[in-house]
Amino acid sequence: GCALARTALSLMEFYDANQMIQRVYGIIYGHVLVSIKPLQSLHEPLLRACRLSFSNGHSENSTLNTITYISRSWQAGKKLPLIMNEMNAFAHQHKQQSHFAMLQLFLAPIYKIISTLSGISLDSSELLPQLVATCSEDIVETARNKNETLYLYNAIAISLEESLSLRNFAQASQTILKYPDFFKMLENGRVRITEFMVAFNAGLVSFHTARETREAHWMEKATNVVAAFEKFSKINEWNFEHMYLLLKAELHHTKGETNEAAQAYYLSAEAAQKRRFIHHSALACELAAHYFGNVGLKEKTREMIKRSHDAYMEWGAARKAKAVINLLELKWLDGN
């Protein structure tokens, strides 16, 4: 697949590049090269594809490229204020092209999550805050009722991301159970590398739910994700090793393997930090703090609270950083 992608890029030299870039770049840089290139390196060509699709007025390409670009920016750990500013610019472009489903079912829900995590909001005169104020809370059902298949997939993924970010594991687990066709890769273990983010989030939710409920199917789902990420991390260590290590930490946590869990949490946080996945470093430290608090290791809990807070602040998630401090200190350190 990657060899064919390189061939396609080279063949573009013989054709109208501006017409082809908007489609070919979106597919190759947005999907194919995820398996071999650092996620951060994909931003510029994807942004170029977005700009060309807007300038050429191609509705389908501009929709697909925007979804891909924003998704990969989030997954790569781009600073939240930067993503918000780019989304605001995209919203104006899509409004001009009358892409109301795009605005309502993708950009507005992502804006809502970013605003919730960061505490930052656009001016109330801007389009995205207005849409958030008027749109339905259940974007999945809205997409389903409108028969918007593309947005339905993304709405489920966004719903899961939001629930995990806010530590609403009950809602996250219900999302997984409610849409079995979407999450069938958890059952059969056939996780595609292009759906890594959904699988990663679902794996973390499944481990937490397995500990809470002791239901075997959650552990089976979670271990299937671990097996997939073990393969992914061998294909592309940069993008996937830190995720694999965090899933392993949760596996050891769930099995009561204290030393192995502690080591994997630390390694995951360090690998994510080293490769500029600052949001995942924050998440690894947050989960580690809960783990160390649960086993009574107050000093390590305190260390990981601070590291998680600082990483969330660096990402631009100031409100989430404050929530980490408040919840963890109250729960595990008694405010001391």
Side-chain angles (χ1 to χ4, degrees):
C2 293
L4 288 173
R6 293 192 186 96
T7 301
L9 291 173
S10 64
L11 285 173
M12 287 173 59
E13 297 175 7
F14 300 100
Y15 298 93
D16 185 345
N18 284 342
Q19 288 294 326
M20 295 188 67
I21 282 174
Q22 56 184 295
R23 179 175 292 274
V24 175
Y25 270 33
I27 294 171
I28 292 176
Y29 287 101
H31 300 280
V32 179
L33 295 183
V34 167
S35 62
I36 62 169
K37 295 286 188 181
L39 277 177
Q40 295 88 347
S41 71
L42 306 177
H43 290 166
E44 284 304 315
L46 284 174
L47 183 57
R48 185 182 179 192
C50 287
R51 288 170 175 160
L52 285 171
S53 58
F54 284 130
S55 64
N56 291 331
H58 196 292
S59 177
E60 180 183 357
N61 286 345
S62 60
T63 295
L64 293 173
N65 288 337
T66 298
I67 290 174
T68 303
Y69 177 75
I70 295 297
S71 299
R72 296 296 181 238
S73 294
W74 175 284
Q75 293 157 6
K78 179 179 279 192
K79 303 292 179 66
L80 293 182
L82 294 177
I83 298 178
M84 182 179 285
N85 288 336
E86 290 179 327
M87 287 179 56
N88 191 37
F90 286 146
H92 289 287
Q93 294 283 351
H94 284 286
K95 182 181 179 181
Q96 290 176 9
Q97 296 188 5
S98 299
H99 296 164
F100 298 114
M102 178 68 181
L103 292 163
Q104 180 184 13
L105 299 176
F106 183 77
L107 290 177
I110 295 290
Y111 166 79
K112 179 186 173 186
I113 297 176
I114 293 175
S115 183
T116 300
L117 294 177
S118 67
I120 301 170
S121 298
L122 295 171
D123 188 87
S124 59
S125 63
E126 294 287 358
L127 181 60
L128 291 178
Q130 293 175 6
L131 286 171
V132 168
T134 58
C135 288
S136 167
E137 285 288 321
D138 194 339
I139 59 167
V140 178
E141 286 307 306
T142 301
R144 185 200 291 273
N145 292 337
K146 290 176 177 284
N147 198 28
E148 296 277 5
T149 304
L150 170 65
Y151 297 110
L152 177 61
Y153 177 96
N154 284 284
I156 296 171
I158 291 167
S159 177
L160 185 68
E161 182 79 50
E162 181 178 28
S163 298
L164 179 61
S165 297
L166 301 178
R167 291 191 60 81
N168 190 342
F169 288 101
Q171 182 173 306
S173 61
Q174 284 303 307
T175 297
I176 293 173
L177 293 176
K178 189 174 180 179
Y179 304 103
D181 289 343
F182 180 82
F183 292 102
K184 63 185 177 182
M185 75 284 202
L186 304 180
E187 305 286 350
N188 58 32
R190 298 171 188 167
V191 182
R192 293 176 296 179
I193 202 165
T194 52
E195 58 190 7
F196 69 89
M197 200 68 233
V198 169
F200 175 66
N201 289 338
L204 295 178
V205 171
S206 296
F207 274 126
H208 184 277
T209 310
R211 293 193 296 269
E212 291 292 313
T213 66
R214 300 298 175 185
E215 294 175 2
H217 71 94
W218 289 110
M219 191 65 170
E220 182 180 352
K221 289 178 174 67
T223 52
N224 282 340
V225 176
V226 175
F229 272 84
E230 183 177 14
K231 296 175 184 175
F232 296 166
S233 66
K234 291 176 181 177
I235 296 170
N236 188 332
E237 184 178 270
W238 181 281
N239 287 346
F240 303 117
E241 184 189 38
H242 68 281
M243 296 186 192
Y244 171 54
L245 289 168
L246 186 53
L247 289 163
K248 275 188 67 178
E250 287 289 288
L251 173 62
H252 293 308
H253 177 177
T254 307
K255 294 171 69 174
E257 298 167 347
T258 306
N259 292 336
E260 293 87 347
Q263 181 182 35
Y265 280 125
Y266 274 104
L267 289 174
S268 175
E270 290 165 5
Q273 181 81 29
K274 177 182 177 182
R275 292 171 181 139
R276 306 195 303 279
F277 294 98
I278 189 63
H279 59 324
H280 286 157
S281 180
L283 176 61
C285 292
E286 179 185 2
L287 295 180
H290 280 280
Y291 173 68
F292 289 132
N294 191 49
V295 297
L297 298 174
K298 284 197 171 186
E299 286 305 313
K300 289 186 179 295
T301 304
R302 188 173 285 108
E303 174 198 352
M304 285 302 190
I305 289 173
K306 184 180 187 309
R307 287 180 60 177
S308 179
H309 169 272
D310 292 350
Y312 277 125
M313 288 296 294
E314 184 179 346
W315 187 36
R319 185 179 288 169
K320 172 66 177 181
K322 183 178 181 181
V324 166
I325 294 284
N326 292 342
L327 174 62
L328 286 166
E329 287 194 342
L330 178 65
K331 186 173 182 179
W332 300 118
L333 300 179
D334 299 322
N336 297 322

